[in-house]
Amino acid sequence: MCWCFGVSRYSRICYPRKSTTILLNYQLRLGVTSISKSIYKNSNFSLLHYSALQIPVQTRLIASLLQIPVQTRLIASLLTPMTPTLFGRWQTRLLLLATIGVLVSLPFAIGWIGFSANSVYFWILGYVAIFGLGWDVLYDYLQKSRWDRDWPAVYQLLAGIWELVFVFCGVKLFGFLPIPLPKEELSPAAFFLHYSVVWLSVFISSQSLMRIIFPRWRFRGGEWL
């Protein structure tokens, strides 16, 4: 008798109740190269066969519940992209804001986009970077509090909205963050447009350019140094 669990469209675990055979299909996408593994275990031997797969968190969880050998789970964890670590968050944030963020802010600062040329956009970018280092500590704590230790894209969106609200309150509503012009002269429309374009550019770059320029970036928890 065989129990089959379809944990995702990429993977399936088949566990025979009355047999010593365990067949696991894993799919792992390593940038351009795809490596897959089928693990066949019998009473006297183990055979590793590579074909094309990914190892989602659900698969590893079910594998743990089914008491699959520690060696098999260790291999699976080594081949799985890591969720962001605290140092990985810091390194990725500073790198992307110092490059993509600055490039995107230039048209705003010289007056090509927005209502007037002003360096206030670089001040806003700096506040996002500086206070973001503190927010990343909170995000890392919340991530570790989740059962799967994951940080989905929707959480990134919510974090971006929260940081937008905080910086806007600091530079415009309450003025506790200094900027090189009176807060009354800062246009809310220009602020939201600048922040939205920067956030979207950084997000897209983290999902594309970072994976191309730093192929091992995903597998080191976001650390590129």
Side-chain angles (χ1 to χ4, degrees):
M1 183 175 181
C2 180
W3 296 343
C4 291
F5 302 87
V7 295
S8 74
R9 62 174 178 164
Y10 298 110
S11 60
R12 176 170 293 182
I13 292 182
C14 181
Y15 184 78
R17 179 186 296 182
K18 297 181 179 181
S19 171
T20 58
T21 302
I22 297 176
L23 178 62
L24 292 178
N25 288 327
Y26 291 141
Q27 183 172 24
L28 176 64
R29 188 171 54 213
L30 295 172
V32 183
T33 305
S34 293
I35 298 179
S36 63
K37 181 190 303 282
S38 294
I39 299 179
Y40 177 87
K41 180 176 176 62
N42 209 310
S43 56
N44 298 322
F45 64 90
S46 295
L47 174 64
L48 297 182
H49 173 67
Y50 293 88
S51 62
L53 284 145
Q54 182 167 350
I55 313 174
V57 175
Q58 298 94 327
T59 302
R60 286 183 284 135
L61 176 62
I62 295 176
S64 176
L65 294 176
L66 294 178
Q67 298 182 346
I68 292 173
V70 176
Q71 296 88 340
T72 300
R73 285 180 283 157
L74 178 60
I75 293 174
S77 63
L78 290 176
L79 293 175
T80 307
M82 292 177 59
T83 51
T85 64
L86 179 58
F87 289 108
R89 289 178 180 275
W90 285 348
Q91 291 181 23
T92 301
R93 177 186 290 268
L94 294 177
L95 175 64
L96 290 178
L97 289 179
T99 54
I100 304 299
V102 170
L103 290 176
V104 172
S105 298
L106 277 175
F108 290 89
I110 62 181
W112 290 357
I113 303 176
F115 298 96
S116 61
N118 201 292
S119 62
V120 66
Y121 300 104
F122 291 116
W123 286 66
I124 294 173
L125 189 68
Y127 289 137
V128 172
I130 294 172
F131 286 99
L133 298 179
W135 297 128
D136 281 336
V137 176
L138 175 61
Y139 302 154
D140 184 70
Y141 172 79
L142 294 176
Q143 175 185 305
K144 291 178 180 177
S145 301
R146 288 174 48 83
W147 70 274
D148 57 357
R149 301 294 196 274
D150 197 10
W151 193 254
V154 65
Y155 280 52
Q156 298 181 45
L157 175 61
L158 294 175
I161 294 175
W162 159 244
E163 293 182 29
L164 180 150
V165 172
F166 176 81
V167 176
F168 182 76
C169 291
V171 301
K172 178 65 178 177
L173 292 185
F174 303 110
F176 59 83
L177 295 178
I179 53 177
L181 77 167
K183 65 178 184 177
E184 293 78 12
E185 296 182 12
L186 178 63
S187 169
F191 174 87
F192 286 117
L193 178 61
H194 170 253
Y195 184 93
S196 300
V197 174
V198 169
W199 186 90
L200 185 61
S201 301
V202 167
F203 177 78
I204 293 176
S205 299
S206 68
Q207 302 299 314
S208 56
L209 290 179
M210 290 295 292
R211 302 185 181 194
I212 297 173
I213 300 175
F214 304 101
R216 302 299 302 172
W217 169 76
R218 288 190 302 155
F219 305 95
R220 299 177 59 187
E223 299 181 23
W224 57 273
L225 290 177

